[in-house]
Amino acid sequence: MNVAQILAQSGARNPGKIAVDFEGTPYTYAQIDERVKRCAGFLKQIGVKKGDRVAIQVPKSMEFVYVHLATLALGAICVPLNTGYPASEVQYFIEDSGSTVFVTYSFGFSSVKNAVGSIKGLEVILLDDQSPSGHEPLCDHLEKASDTDLRTYPTEPDDVAVLFYTSGTTGKPKGAMITHKNLISNTQALHEIWHWSDQDVLLHVLPLFHVHGLAVALYGGLYAGATIVMHERFDPRRTWETLEKVPCTIFMGVPTMYYRMMQEWESVQPDLSKMRVFISGSAPLLENLFYRFEKTTGFRILERYGMTEALMITSNPYEPERRIPRSVGYPLPGMKIRIVSEEGEDVEPGQVGEVWVKGNNVFKGYWNNPEKTSETFCDGWLKSGDLGYQDPEDDLRLYLVGRAKELIITGGYNVYPKEVENVLEEHESVMESAVVGIPDQDYGEKVVAAVVLKGDMKSINPEELIKYCKTKLASYKCPKMIFKMDSLPRNAMGKVQKHVLQKVIISKLEGQ
Ligand code: MLC
């Protein structure tokens, strides 16, 4: 069982069909297969074997797709990295995963070279230039024919296919081990419930280095034998224009994208008569956005619920009249949920508790981190950290109402405050800090921080601190605003009261 093999088999049903149109250049299923094959040959030649980790940090491109699928086809493990990660984060991901190959591009490599150049045993491969150890640019290799197909797909269902790094509750990000079985069952379940077919045309505007853009959107389209129109970056106006012009049948986005698309609707007013479904996930879709979108476009957005550690968990039904705002629907085929009290007991239907998840899509644990893995599971159930309830009047339909863990979701990216606080507190002028999320129309929530500065360092301004954070963290994790305070609000036990801090910051902003 190997997900790359299953996707290759789907593509082989109609090899001459356009699988991906990347920024106006079409690639058939056969052309993609050919390049994945060559890429696998190259990786094998440089010594990649089953179980090895191959990190990849390249802009959204066809090369990302080839390297990703080729890595999996050899039974190796892909470690996709956000192109926004600064050098220190990239170094951590490569070292923590024990990657032996790092595929990148010359511009990106120039800024991480010092940090990763000294990692022992790491082979750097550049897409567009000769590698430090003298290999030809990978792009050149992909264009040349090779006689033999070295893809052997030597994997078992529970073998790890991808390590997705997720922000950590206690600081450092952790590598979530996603298996071939997880990816295959997730793809097949979504294929069934969202009525994918080879007649579909997906507009793909998401990043490829996360579950949403990779395992939901890309895999969904390739498995269905559909055509995927790929944009390198999301642009709301262009999205509307493309949906009409191509025309497309299916679109997936995070709520920030739908919000920005609404801002551009008036100027385009596209004909959406070929569209079948708009799907949203990775962050809560606000009720007013759901209704505004419906009123404007006539479509009820289909909201689904997932997380990196469990891929997709629930989805609203495909039938538009059964799509309801605020609800994330019902468990997918192969998935089960429970709603559990703080004491670990099932609550009555209708009562709020933590959502626990079990099933084929649930990950294998955190890479090299048995402690965190065992904290995350209880009797085989994954503790999601999300709070919700099931409606007893509607077949136990799931509603999410909040989070048990401190987590900020900004524009579909997860940020744990601790990771940002650790970075702030490493700064010489900061005595202590607290990071919270505050509501934001565009991002849903945005990251803000309060800092107490050391007595002799009070002159540092917030902009300098934000700039400093950007040297240590991807910019989506960095506070958009930093407030200097004399002290942080604490309870009698000395614990920072984040909800009080949130209120203080919101009222400061309202007063501005
Ligand atoms: C970018 N920035 C963000 C941000 N995205 N800041 C906070 N939150 C975000 N989500 C930063 C940029 O780096 C930049 O910083 C500044 O904010 C302005 O950027 P922008 O022009 O607004 O960003 P843009 O490039 O347009 O990106 C917005 C976006 C993007 C919504 C298109 O964030 C995005 O693609 N989000 C999708 C994330 C996703 O795929 N999540 C899935 C996770 S999987 P500066 O400093 O350079 O100015 C998962 C499981 C599941 O959660 O269920 O799906």
Short mmCIF file of all heavy atoms in Angstrom, two decimals, residues 206-207 210-213 233-234 254 256-257 260 281-282 304-308 312 410-414 442-443 470 475-476 480, ligand 1:
data_model
loop_
_atom_site.label_atom_id
_atom_site.label_comp_id
_atom_site.label_asym_id
_atom_site.label_seq_id
_atom_site.Cartn_x
_atom_site.Cartn_y
_atom_site.Cartn_z
N LEU A 206 -4.09 26.97 -2.67
CA LEU A 206 -3.53 26.77 -1.32
C LEU A 206 -2.04 26.44 -1.39
O LEU A 206 -1.56 25.93 -2.41
CB LEU A 206 -4.26 25.59 -0.65
CG LEU A 206 -5.71 25.85 -0.24
CD1 LEU A 206 -6.49 24.54 -0.23
CD2 LEU A 206 -5.76 26.52 1.12
N PRO A 207 -1.32 26.67 -0.29
CA PRO A 207 0.07 26.18 -0.28
C PRO A 207 0.11 24.65 -0.32
O PRO A 207 -0.81 24.00 0.17
CB PRO A 207 0.62 26.70 1.05
CG PRO A 207 -0.51 27.29 1.81
CD PRO A 207 -1.71 27.34 0.95
N HIS A 210 1.10 21.96 3.34
CA HIS A 210 0.23 21.59 4.45
C HIS A 210 -0.80 20.57 4.00
O HIS A 210 -1.06 20.41 2.81
CB HIS A 210 -0.51 22.81 4.98
CG HIS A 210 0.26 23.57 6.01
ND1 HIS A 210 0.75 22.97 7.14
CD2 HIS A 210 0.62 24.86 6.09
CE1 HIS A 210 1.37 23.87 7.87
NE2 HIS A 210 1.33 25.02 7.24
N VAL A 211 -1.42 19.97 5.01
CA VAL A 211 -2.45 18.96 4.75
C VAL A 211 -3.52 19.45 3.77
O VAL A 211 -3.92 18.73 2.85
CB VAL A 211 -3.10 18.58 6.11
CG1 VAL A 211 -4.44 17.92 5.93
CG2 VAL A 211 -2.16 17.69 6.92
N HIS A 212 -4.00 20.68 3.96
CA HIS A 212 -5.13 21.15 3.16
C HIS A 212 -4.81 21.16 1.66
O HIS A 212 -5.50 20.56 0.85
CB HIS A 212 -5.54 22.54 3.66
CG HIS A 212 -6.90 22.99 3.21
ND1 HIS A 212 -7.56 24.04 3.80
CD2 HIS A 212 -7.71 22.57 2.23
CE1 HIS A 212 -8.73 24.21 3.20
NE2 HIS A 212 -8.83 23.34 2.23
N GLY A 213 -3.71 21.86 1.31
CA GLY A 213 -3.37 21.98 -0.11
C GLY A 213 -2.83 20.70 -0.71
O GLY A 213 -2.97 20.42 -1.90
N ARG A 233 0.04 31.64 -6.17
CA ARG A 233 -0.38 32.42 -4.99
C ARG A 233 -1.87 32.67 -5.05
O ARG A 233 -2.45 32.75 -6.13
CB ARG A 233 0.31 33.79 -5.02
CG ARG A 233 1.74 33.82 -4.56
CD ARG A 233 2.23 35.26 -4.56
NE ARG A 233 1.37 36.11 -3.70
CZ ARG A 233 1.49 36.17 -2.39
NH1 ARG A 233 2.41 35.49 -1.77
NH2 ARG A 233 0.67 36.93 -1.68
N PHE A 234 -2.45 32.86 -3.89
CA PHE A 234 -3.87 33.21 -3.86
C PHE A 234 -4.05 34.71 -4.13
O PHE A 234 -3.40 35.54 -3.50
CB PHE A 234 -4.45 32.86 -2.48
CG PHE A 234 -5.82 33.43 -2.26
CD1 PHE A 234 -6.91 32.94 -2.96
CD2 PHE A 234 -6.03 34.48 -1.37
CE1 PHE A 234 -8.18 33.48 -2.78
CE2 PHE A 234 -7.29 35.02 -1.17
CZ PHE A 234 -8.37 34.52 -1.88
N VAL A 254 -9.39 28.55 2.77
CA VAL A 254 -9.54 28.83 4.20
C VAL A 254 -10.46 30.06 4.30
O VAL A 254 -10.61 30.80 3.32
CB VAL A 254 -8.17 29.08 4.88
CG1 VAL A 254 -7.29 27.86 4.77
CG2 VAL A 254 -7.46 30.30 4.29
N THR A 256 -10.21 33.00 5.45
CA THR A 256 -9.60 34.28 5.03
C THR A 256 -9.74 34.46 3.51
O THR A 256 -9.99 35.56 3.03
CB THR A 256 -8.10 34.30 5.42
OG1 THR A 256 -8.01 34.14 6.83
CG2 THR A 256 -7.40 35.59 5.00
N MET A 257 -9.58 33.38 2.77
CA MET A 257 -9.70 33.48 1.31
C MET A 257 -11.13 33.84 0.93
O MET A 257 -11.36 34.71 0.07
CB MET A 257 -9.29 32.17 0.66
CG MET A 257 -7.82 31.88 0.81
SD MET A 257 -7.41 30.26 0.17
CE MET A 257 -5.62 30.29 0.36
N ARG A 260 -11.75 37.49 1.66
CA ARG A 260 -11.14 38.39 0.66
C ARG A 260 -11.87 38.29 -0.69
O ARG A 260 -11.98 39.27 -1.41
CB ARG A 260 -9.66 38.06 0.49
CG ARG A 260 -8.86 38.35 1.75
CD ARG A 260 -7.39 38.12 1.54
NE ARG A 260 -6.64 38.28 2.79
CZ ARG A 260 -5.33 38.14 2.90
NH1 ARG A 260 -4.60 37.84 1.83
NH2 ARG A 260 -4.73 38.29 4.05
N GLY A 281 -12.12 25.04 5.12
CA GLY A 281 -11.56 24.33 6.28
C GLY A 281 -10.32 25.01 6.78
O GLY A 281 -9.95 26.09 6.31
N SER A 282 -9.69 24.40 7.78
CA SER A 282 -8.45 24.84 8.45
C SER A 282 -8.68 25.91 9.51
O SER A 282 -7.77 26.21 10.28
CB SER A 282 -7.38 25.37 7.49
OG SER A 282 -7.12 24.44 6.47
N ARG A 304 -15.83 21.73 6.42
CA ARG A 304 -15.37 20.44 6.97
C ARG A 304 -14.38 20.72 8.08
O ARG A 304 -13.87 21.84 8.21
CB ARG A 304 -14.83 19.55 5.86
CG ARG A 304 -13.72 20.14 4.99
CD ARG A 304 -12.46 20.24 5.70
NE ARG A 304 -11.34 20.79 5.00
CZ ARG A 304 -10.21 21.09 5.62
NH1 ARG A 304 -10.07 20.95 6.92
NH2 ARG A 304 -9.20 21.56 4.96
N TYR A 305 -14.10 19.68 8.87
CA TYR A 305 -13.23 19.87 10.03
C TYR A 305 -12.09 18.86 9.97
O TYR A 305 -12.30 17.67 9.73
CB TYR A 305 -14.08 19.67 11.28
CG TYR A 305 -13.34 19.38 12.58
CD1 TYR A 305 -12.30 20.19 13.02
CD2 TYR A 305 -13.73 18.31 13.38
CE1 TYR A 305 -11.67 19.93 14.23
CE2 TYR A 305 -13.11 18.04 14.59
CZ TYR A 305 -12.07 18.85 15.00
OH TYR A 305 -11.44 18.59 16.19
N GLY A 306 -10.87 19.38 10.16
CA GLY A 306 -9.73 18.48 10.18
C GLY A 306 -8.62 19.06 11.02
O GLY A 306 -8.73 20.16 11.56
N MET A 307 -7.55 18.32 11.16
CA MET A 307 -6.35 18.82 11.81
C MET A 307 -5.18 18.00 11.29
O MET A 307 -5.38 16.87 10.80
CB MET A 307 -6.45 18.71 13.34
CG MET A 307 -6.65 17.32 13.87
SD MET A 307 -7.08 17.29 15.62
CE MET A 307 -5.54 17.79 16.36
N THR A 308 -3.99 18.56 11.35
CA THR A 308 -2.85 17.87 10.77
C THR A 308 -2.76 16.44 11.29
O THR A 308 -2.50 15.51 10.53
CB THR A 308 -1.56 18.67 11.10
OG1 THR A 308 -1.72 19.98 10.57
CG2 THR A 308 -0.33 18.02 10.50
N MET A 312 -8.68 14.65 7.66
CA MET A 312 -10.05 15.15 7.76
C MET A 312 -10.88 14.27 8.72
O MET A 312 -10.79 13.04 8.70
CB MET A 312 -10.72 15.19 6.39
CG MET A 312 -10.02 16.14 5.44
SD MET A 312 -9.86 17.83 6.10
CE MET A 312 -8.11 17.88 6.53
N THR A 410 -4.70 31.55 12.65
CA THR A 410 -4.65 32.81 11.91
C THR A 410 -4.57 32.52 10.41
O THR A 410 -3.60 31.92 9.95
CB THR A 410 -3.47 33.69 12.40
OG1 THR A 410 -3.36 34.80 11.53
CG2 THR A 410 -2.14 32.97 12.47
N GLY A 411 -5.64 32.85 9.71
CA GLY A 411 -5.67 32.61 8.26
C GLY A 411 -5.43 31.16 7.90
O GLY A 411 -4.88 30.86 6.85
N GLY A 412 -5.81 30.23 8.78
CA GLY A 412 -5.66 28.80 8.49
C GLY A 412 -4.35 28.20 8.98
O GLY A 412 -4.11 27.02 8.84
N TYR A 413 -3.49 29.02 9.56
CA TYR A 413 -2.24 28.51 10.14
C TYR A 413 -2.38 28.44 11.67
O TYR A 413 -2.90 29.39 12.28
CB TYR A 413 -1.06 29.44 9.83
CG TYR A 413 -0.57 29.42 8.41
CD1 TYR A 413 -0.43 30.59 7.68
CD2 TYR A 413 -0.20 28.23 7.79
CE1 TYR A 413 0.04 30.59 6.37
CE2 TYR A 413 0.27 28.22 6.49
CZ TYR A 413 0.39 29.40 5.78
OH TYR A 413 0.87 29.39 4.50
N ASN A 414 -1.86 27.37 12.26
CA ASN A 414 -1.91 27.22 13.72
C ASN A 414 -0.68 27.84 14.37
O ASN A 414 0.44 27.59 13.93
CB ASN A 414 -1.91 25.73 14.10
CG ASN A 414 -3.23 25.08 13.75
OD1 ASN A 414 -4.11 25.71 13.19
ND2 ASN A 414 -3.37 23.82 14.10
N ASP A 442 -10.15 39.64 8.74
CA ASP A 442 -9.46 39.02 7.61
C ASP A 442 -8.88 37.66 8.01
O ASP A 442 -9.19 36.63 7.40
CB ASP A 442 -8.36 39.98 7.16
CG ASP A 442 -7.62 39.48 5.93
OD1 ASP A 442 -8.21 38.72 5.15
OD2 ASP A 442 -6.44 39.86 5.76
N TYR A 443 -8.07 37.63 9.04
CA TYR A 443 -7.39 36.39 9.44
C TYR A 443 -8.22 35.53 10.39
O TYR A 443 -7.77 34.46 10.79
CB TYR A 443 -6.05 36.71 10.10
CG TYR A 443 -4.99 37.21 9.13
CD1 TYR A 443 -4.34 38.41 9.35
CD2 TYR A 443 -4.63 36.46 8.01
CE1 TYR A 443 -3.35 38.87 8.47
CE2 TYR A 443 -3.66 36.91 7.14
CZ TYR A 443 -3.03 38.10 7.37
OH TYR A 443 -2.05 38.54 6.50
N LYS A 470 10.71 38.21 13.40
CA LYS A 470 10.74 37.70 12.02
C LYS A 470 12.06 37.04 11.66
O LYS A 470 12.13 36.30 10.68
CB LYS A 470 10.41 38.83 11.05
CG LYS A 470 8.93 39.16 11.08
CD LYS A 470 8.55 40.17 10.04
CE LYS A 470 7.07 40.48 10.18
NZ LYS A 470 6.63 41.55 9.29
N SER A 475 6.70 34.57 9.32
CA SER A 475 6.04 35.83 9.67
C SER A 475 4.59 35.65 10.10
O SER A 475 4.08 36.45 10.86
CB SER A 475 6.18 36.86 8.56
OG SER A 475 5.59 36.40 7.41
N TYR A 476 3.92 34.55 9.65
CA TYR A 476 2.54 34.38 10.11
C TYR A 476 2.46 34.11 11.63
O TYR A 476 1.44 34.36 12.25
CB TYR A 476 1.82 33.27 9.32
CG TYR A 476 2.26 31.86 9.64
CD1 TYR A 476 1.69 31.15 10.68
CD2 TYR A 476 3.25 31.24 8.90
CE1 TYR A 476 2.09 29.86 10.99
CE2 TYR A 476 3.67 29.96 9.19
CZ TYR A 476 3.10 29.28 10.23
OH TYR A 476 3.50 28.01 10.53
N LYS A 480 1.36 40.70 15.19
CA LYS A 480 1.09 41.84 14.29
C LYS A 480 1.20 43.13 15.10
O LYS A 480 1.42 44.19 14.54
CB LYS A 480 -0.32 41.73 13.70
CG LYS A 480 -0.55 40.46 12.87
CD LYS A 480 0.00 40.59 11.46
CE LYS A 480 -0.34 39.38 10.63
NZ LYS A 480 0.75 38.88 9.81
C1 MLC B 1 0.56 35.40 5.61
N1 MLC B 1 0.84 36.20 6.65
C2 MLC B 1 0.04 35.88 7.66
C3 MLC B 1 -0.74 34.82 7.19
N2 MLC B 1 -0.41 34.56 5.92
N3 MLC B 1 -0.08 36.37 8.89
C4 MLC B 1 -0.97 35.80 9.70
N4 MLC B 1 -1.76 34.77 9.32
C5 MLC B 1 -1.65 34.26 8.08
N5 MLC B 1 -2.39 33.23 7.71
C6 MLC B 1 1.84 37.24 6.75
C7 MLC B 1 2.70 37.34 5.54
O1 MLC B 1 3.81 36.51 5.71
C8 MLC B 1 3.02 38.81 5.49
O2 MLC B 1 3.98 39.10 6.44
C9 MLC B 1 1.76 39.46 5.97
O3 MLC B 1 1.15 38.47 6.83
C10 MLC B 1 0.78 39.86 4.91
O4 MLC B 1 0.53 38.76 4.13
P1 MLC B 1 -0.77 38.63 3.22
O5 MLC B 1 -0.48 39.31 1.91
O6 MLC B 1 -1.98 38.93 3.95
O7 MLC B 1 -0.70 37.09 3.06
P2 MLC B 1 -1.03 36.22 1.87
O8 MLC B 1 0.23 35.83 1.21
O9 MLC B 1 -2.11 36.83 1.07
O10 MLC B 1 -1.58 34.96 2.63
C11 MLC B 1 -2.82 34.90 3.23
C12 MLC B 1 -3.36 33.50 2.95
C13 MLC B 1 -2.33 32.51 3.50
C14 MLC B 1 -4.70 33.37 3.63
C15 MLC B 1 -3.52 33.31 1.45
O11 MLC B 1 -2.14 32.76 4.88
C16 MLC B 1 -2.70 31.09 3.27
O12 MLC B 1 -2.47 30.57 2.19
N6 MLC B 1 -3.29 30.43 4.26
C17 MLC B 1 -3.66 29.04 4.17
C18 MLC B 1 -2.96 28.24 5.20
C19 MLC B 1 -3.23 26.74 5.04
O13 MLC B 1 -3.12 26.19 3.96
N7 MLC B 1 -3.53 26.07 6.12
C20 MLC B 1 -3.79 24.68 6.14
C21 MLC B 1 -3.14 24.02 7.33
S1 MLC B 1 -3.63 22.32 7.34
P3 MLC B 1 5.12 40.15 6.21
O14 MLC B 1 5.74 40.26 7.53
O15 MLC B 1 6.01 39.52 5.19
O16 MLC B 1 4.46 41.41 5.76
C22 MLC B 1 -4.84 22.26 8.54
C23 MLC B 1 -5.67 21.07 8.59
C24 MLC B 1 -6.98 21.34 7.94
O17 MLC B 1 -5.07 23.21 9.20
O18 MLC B 1 -8.02 20.99 8.51
O19 MLC B 1 -6.98 21.88 6.85
#
